[in-house]
Amino acid sequence: MRFAHCLVPDFIYKKYRAEDFYGSFQSAAIFVDLSGFSVMTDALSVHGARGAEALADMMRVVFEPLVNAVYTQGGFVIGYAGDACNAVFPVGERERETETARRCLAAAWSMQTHIKAHAQTSTPYGNFSIRLKVGIGFGATTWQIFRSASGRRASYWFRGQSLSGAVAAEEAARAGDVVLDEPARRLLGDGIAAAPVADCFLLQDILFDLPSPQPLPPLPPEDGLAEVFFAETVTHQPTVGEFRQAVNLFIDIPIGITDQALIKPFMETVYRLQEQYGGFFLRPDLGDKGFNLLMFWGAPTAHENDVDRALNFLLELSAQTGIALRAGISYRMAYTGFIGSSQREDYTAYGWGVTLAARMMERAGAGEYWMDAETASRAEKRFQLKPLGERKFKGFQRAQKIFALLGRKPVTETVYQGRLVGRKRELKELSDFFQPLRRGEFAGVMILTGEAGIGKSRLAHSFQSSTYFQDFAAQWALCQTDEILRLPFNPLADRLKRRFGLTEAQDGEAGRVRFSNVLQRLIDSTPEPELAAELSRTASLLAALVNISMPGSLYESLDAKGRYENTLIALDAFLRAESMRQPLILFIEDIHWLDSDSRVFLTYFARALQAEPFKRYPIAILVTRRPEEEFSWMSEQVAFREMHLDKLTVEDLSQLAADILSHPVSDSLLALLDSRAEGNPFFAEQILRYLAEQNALELDSGGEYVAKSEVEISLPTDVRSVLIARLDRLSGQV
């Protein structure tokens, strides 16, 4: 049985099994750059899945003979970078360096001859031209295998004089050329005719018989080692390629980090942050001027917050390493899948987004992170950005709007525009649920369940501002979960910071004074003496949740178990005291992402309130969740009510469309909207705004909006991202 995909050179596998993680050898090297794939990618992307299949087929048709040329001459492919690839030809134990250089030249000549004979590639959607440049270098080649601190993940790189020489030679080449660096030219001597070009040599003629190609080596057997270098979702990926919206992050690390002793801890940090924020990368790319890292989010698994994940990864990487990185970030449609041949392939993202991210990285200064407008529009709510105006980049006809990432914004509550459409039944049910608060009693637990975009949070926020609370004041305590980090008690700690008015800018003493003053006012206003005493006793546990230390306190005297148990008691006392000041609605969004410690507390808190009906605390617990996410932990221990949010009716969609567009919509447009949005208000809103922005709507004689006759209503980027993320959460079999 063989690997589903040959993603790592057998050279690296052998070294890894031998626990040999660093070394060097003499070799010849090839750097091959193909032109024509970018045009082909753009043309085929409009044909969706079939276009992706056609592109994947063409990549295999083009690369298979090129890669075979390497392996039949005793070399191996290091990896691919878009439409380029690197290969090395190690000097054999009984082989002269001249013979190695000749084998390398034979592979390069075979590649160029093949491409010239097959310059046109045919697809169901047209013919495309492919051209090739080849650079050859010779010298020392260094390799290194990196491992995560846990040892569960690994990657590798190759660098050295041979590869640098091949890259320099390729840069001096034009389409159809083979160019050699000076060491390779010297080894081949009188066996070739070559003319100087830049600091290299353009091959003009070969005056000796090239080495004959040998049989292709057998493919390695499967032994599970591939999963150390790539996730199983990649190694056994059934889809060869597809077009997906991808976040491309190109990071450049300064030249000083190339020292071997510094690279190891840096890469361990990369792996650690990757476990938190996700993202995919092949391997670091090293050269004489430092090294860079290309990462992307959106494939093989997508999340609805991939932009947030990428930006948080970048900010944390800079903070934890203390290195002034520079980076480029784009959010574009890309071909994501396998590139290469059956002998050796990579899983990667390919398209103009990768190119733009690289161009922005090259132009950014130390400590600067540039992003395109697509990324910025999805980041502006949660991150601090600075517009940099329009910039021209090589390969792009139009100037691109560029923004700089400065940092994160403080967490803020979402502000919704426009009125809530439909949901009369749901609003009535919420009104009934909250009635016990008016009597000073515990209302219980209500769960709002519905798919992404169905309007769970919108319903809760609309009810919060409804007439229900005009004659009845209640405080809403928003506890927002974090899908990515899920730190202990994070939603509750965030609520405490906002309640006590704590900011990141405050130093330790200022924060401690403010915390103590606000908490003391709460203690003084609590009418129940036992509760006030408990709140005073456990004050240092609450302080610890917001990173405030109190020397000599109860918190410092307790062991880990005592701290944990008393933290539960402290939060319980705090929320009860808050409810006696003013009826409290504990609102937890996306409870399916709640961290394990907050889960324990919420169960503990709800059970205690339900078990003590004689103690009157006006508290309601309102949570939202998605139906496809795991949630059994509460249902087994706490009684709750659940409200399922259904899809909007056609009548509701009609009203929503009229509110967004300020005009009614025609029956034909409504029917199309209903078929695309499927009753999901978020999808419907995004589709309508997208059509309006694209000038795809017009008013008819009756004052109703209709779609222009040539327009096909398609799904906007954000809607596609939600749907793809939802599909990626399903099992591979589904």
Side-chain angles (χ1 to χ4, degrees):
M1 184 177 182
R2 55 167 296 254
F3 288 136
H5 297 284
C6 293
L7 295 165
V8 178
D10 195 46
F11 174 92
I12 292 295
Y13 279 144
K14 290 178 180 177
K15 296 297 183 182
Y16 187 91
R17 293 187 189 100
E19 297 187 357
D20 187 3
F21 302 116
Y22 182 83
S24 64
F25 54 84
Q26 289 291 109
S27 78
I30 285 179
F31 183 69
V32 177
D33 186 26
L34 288 152
S35 60
F37 273 123
S38 295
V39 174
M40 189 189 305
T41 301
D42 279 353
L44 296 181
S45 65
V46 301
H47 298 286
R50 292 184 178 179
E53 292 173 4
L55 181 60
D57 289 343
M58 284 304 97
M59 285 184 167
R60 180 57 60 91
V61 167
V62 171
F63 274 108
E64 191 82 29
L66 306 186
V67 173
N68 287 349
V70 171
Y71 282 87
T72 57
Q73 290 294 345
F76 63 87
V77 171
I78 294 172
Y80 303 84
D83 47 13
C85 74
N86 278 310
V88 293
F89 299 76
V91 176
E93 293 182 2
R94 298 188 180 94
E95 184 179 52
R96 295 181 302 162
E97 292 182 344
T98 299
E99 294 171 344
T100 305
R102 289 189 172 193
R103 287 193 288 108
C104 180
L105 179 61
W109 188 255
S110 175
M111 291 179 180
Q112 198 63 273
T113 301
H114 175 82
I115 290 296
K116 288 178 180 178
H118 301 83
Q120 289 285 320
T121 60
S122 177
T123 77
Y125 307 102
N127 298 327
F128 301 91
S129 298
I130 299 293
R131 305 183 74 184
L132 183 69
K133 297 191 297 180
V134 184
I136 296 177
F138 193 92
T141 302
T142 304
W143 59 271
Q144 183 175 1
I145 297 175
F146 303 102
R147 291 176 296 171
S148 63
S150 66
R152 293 193 298 267
R153 292 294 315 280
S155 185
Y156 63 93
W157 55 251
F158 287 83
R159 64 182 298 235
Q161 181 183 356
S162 63
L163 292 165
S164 298
V167 171
E170 184 275 331
E171 290 176 348
R174 295 179 299 177
D177 290 347
V178 174
V179 175
L180 305 90
D181 73 348
E182 197 279 330
R185 170 69 181 89
R186 186 173 62 252
L187 280 173
L188 292 169
D190 296 336
I192 62 171
V197 53
D199 294 327
C200 301
F201 298 87
L202 171 64
L203 180 68
Q204 294 177 315
D205 196 7
I206 299 175
L207 307 177
F208 61 90
D209 292 333
L210 290 169
S212 299
Q214 301 300 306
L216 284 171
L219 296 172
E222 184 174 10
D223 63 358
L225 192 56
E227 276 72 33
V228 176
F229 292 86
F230 294 93
E232 188 174 356
T233 54
V234 173
T235 59
H236 292 83
Q237 173 72 253
T239 304
V240 176
E242 57 189 329
F243 288 107
R244 283 187 174 223
Q245 202 74 21
V247 182
N248 306 284
L249 171 61
F250 243 120
I251 305 173
D252 182 70
I253 296 90
I255 188 169
I257 194 68
T258 57
D259 180 81
Q260 182 189 355
L262 297 176
I263 293 174
K264 183 176 183 293
F266 180 87
M267 290 304 300
E268 288 178 351
T269 304
V270 169
Y271 281 122
R272 185 169 62 251
L273 292 175
Q274 188 185 28
E275 291 179 358
Q276 293 179 347
Y277 297 106
F280 179 87
F281 74 91
L282 283 171
R283 67 194 69 86
D285 181 24
L286 282 87
D288 289 341
K289 297 181 180 179
F291 80 99
N292 57 64
L293 196 64
L294 169 61
M295 299 190 66
F296 56 90
W297 282 256
T301 301
H303 300 85
E304 295 148 37
N305 58 350
D306 278 327
V307 169
D308 288 6
R309 288 169 174 264
L311 300 187
N312 276 306
F313 175 93
L314 177 59
L315 292 172
E316 284 298 316
L317 182 63
S318 178
Q320 293 189 24
T321 61
I323 296 174
L325 310 169
R326 59 177 184 161
I329 313 111
S330 68
Y331 186 59
R332 299 286 179 96
M333 184 66 70
Y335 168 83
T336 60
F338 297 97
I339 185 172
S341 80
S342 54
Q343 286 289 326
R344 175 73 173 85
E345 56 189 338
D346 274 341
Y347 184 88
T348 188
Y350 178 73
W352 287 110
V354 177
T355 303
L356 180 58
R359 297 283 186 262
M360 289 189 290
M361 177 195 72
E362 293 167 353
R363 294 271 291 276
E368 292 183 348
Y369 318 131
W370 288 14
M371 67 178 68
D372 67 351
E374 287 288 319
T375 310
S377 67
R378 291 158 180 81
E380 59 185 359
K381 290 183 180 179
R382 291 166 293 277
F383 297 88
Q384 295 176 340
L385 310 179
K386 178 183 177 182
L388 299 179
E390 293 188 343
R391 305 291 173 93
K392 294 278 290 183
F393 295 100
K394 179 183 177 182
F396 293 84
Q397 293 183 350
R398 296 181 180 179
Q400 304 290 315
K401 289 184 178 180
I402 303 300
F403 299 79
L405 172 65
L406 303 181
R408 301 181 184 89
K409 285 183 177 178
V411 176
T412 58
E413 295 190 24
T414 303
V415 177
Y416 292 95
Q417 298 178 346
R419 60 174 176 153
L420 181 70
V421 172
R423 307 305 186 199
K424 291 182 180 179
R425 175 189 63 81
E426 291 86 349
L427 289 170
K428 175 63 168 60
E429 193 170 338
L430 281 178
S431 177
D432 294 341
F433 168 69
F434 284 121
Q435 284 302 316
L437 294 183
R438 292 178 177 270
R439 302 191 297 269
E441 301 172 356
F442 177 51
V445 180
M446 167 69 83
I447 299 175
L448 304 180
T449 300
E451 66 183 35
I454 204 67
K456 303 179 294 295
S457 298
R458 176 66 181 267
L459 173 65
H461 283 277
S462 295
F463 187 77
Q464 179 182 353
S465 58
S466 69
T467 57
Y468 182 87
F469 293 102
Q470 285 184 350
D471 63 339
F472 172 65
Q475 55 175 325
W476 285 68
L478 172 64
C479 297
Q480 179 62 61
T481 59
D482 189 327
E483 176 194 2
I484 303 170
L485 297 181
R486 307 193 192 190
L487 298 174
F489 299 111
N490 186 65
L492 297 159
D494 182 67
R495 169 60 190 170
L496 288 174
K497 289 178 182 178
R498 283 185 280 168
R499 173 65 177 88
F500 290 104
L502 302 173
T503 65
E504 300 293 336
Q506 290 172 322
D507 59 27
E509 182 59 29
R512 186 161 41 247
V513 170
R514 180 167 183 80
F515 172 86
S516 299
N517 290 340
V518 174
L519 183 62
Q520 190 59 51
R521 287 197 295 269
L522 178 60
I523 293 171
D524 294 341
S525 65
T526 301
E528 194 175 294
E530 292 183 0
L531 183 60
E534 192 64 62
L535 194 57
S536 180
R537 183 186 74 85
T538 59
S540 61
L541 281 302
L542 293 176
L545 285 174
V546 292
N547 300 318
I548 291 176
S549 61
M550 291 188 168
S553 64
L554 171 65
Y555 176 85
E556 293 196 343
S557 69
L558 296 171
D559 60 14
K561 181 181 178 183
R563 288 177 177 178
Y564 185 80
E565 292 174 346
N566 278 272
T567 296
L568 301 180
I569 295 171
L571 286 168
D572 178 282
F574 171 76
L575 293 175
R576 291 177 190 245
E578 281 279 85
S579 74
M580 301 190 77
R581 180 176 66 89
Q582 190 178 37
L584 175 70
I585 300 171
L586 190 64
F587 180 35
I588 305 175
E589 291 192 288
D590 298 319
I591 198 171
H592 43 274
W593 293 329
L594 199 64
D595 63 275
S596 59
D597 290 327
S598 295
R599 286 185 179 189
V600 171
F601 169 73
L602 189 61
T603 304
Y604 164 87
F605 184 53
R607 289 180 64 186
L609 291 172
Q610 290 174 350
E612 302 171 339
F614 54 89
K615 292 186 177 181
R616 295 168 59 86
Y617 298 104
I619 296 173
I621 301 175
L622 181 66
V623 305
T624 67
R625 82 172 187 98
R626 297 178 184 175
E628 70 270 17
E629 304 288 352
E630 182 273 330
F631 189 66
S632 60
W633 56 272
M634 177 177 278
S635 60
E636 297 170 352
Q637 304 180 62
V638 177
F640 60 82
R641 297 168 63 178
E642 187 168 13
M643 182 194 303
H644 290 270
L645 271 66
D646 297 326
K647 297 176 179 180
L648 294 184
T649 65
V650 174
E651 291 75 18
D652 291 335
L653 281 177
S654 177
Q655 185 61 62
L656 177 65
D659 287 351
I660 292 173
L661 301 176
S662 301
H663 281 277
V665 297
S666 67
D667 291 343
S668 59
L669 177 57
L670 181 61
L672 283 171
L673 181 64
D674 183 44
S675 68
R676 299 299 191 274
E678 297 184 343
N680 187 299
F682 170 76
F683 293 176
E685 181 176 355
Q686 292 298 310
I687 290 171
L688 288 168
R689 296 193 186 282
Y690 173 79
L691 291 174
E693 291 170 0
Q694 299 298 314
N695 194 30
L697 301 175
E698 59 186 0
L699 287 172
D700 64 11
S701 58
E704 294 181 335
Y705 268 114
V706 297
K708 293 182 179 179
S709 57
E710 69 275 12
V711 170
E712 165 67 20
I713 295 184
S714 59
L715 295 178
T717 297
D718 292 334
V719 176
R720 287 199 306 270
S721 298
V722 172
L723 292 174
I724 291 173
R726 187 186 303 170
L727 289 172
D728 284 346
R729 284 195 292 268
L730 301 176
S731 70
Q733 183 177 3
V734 174

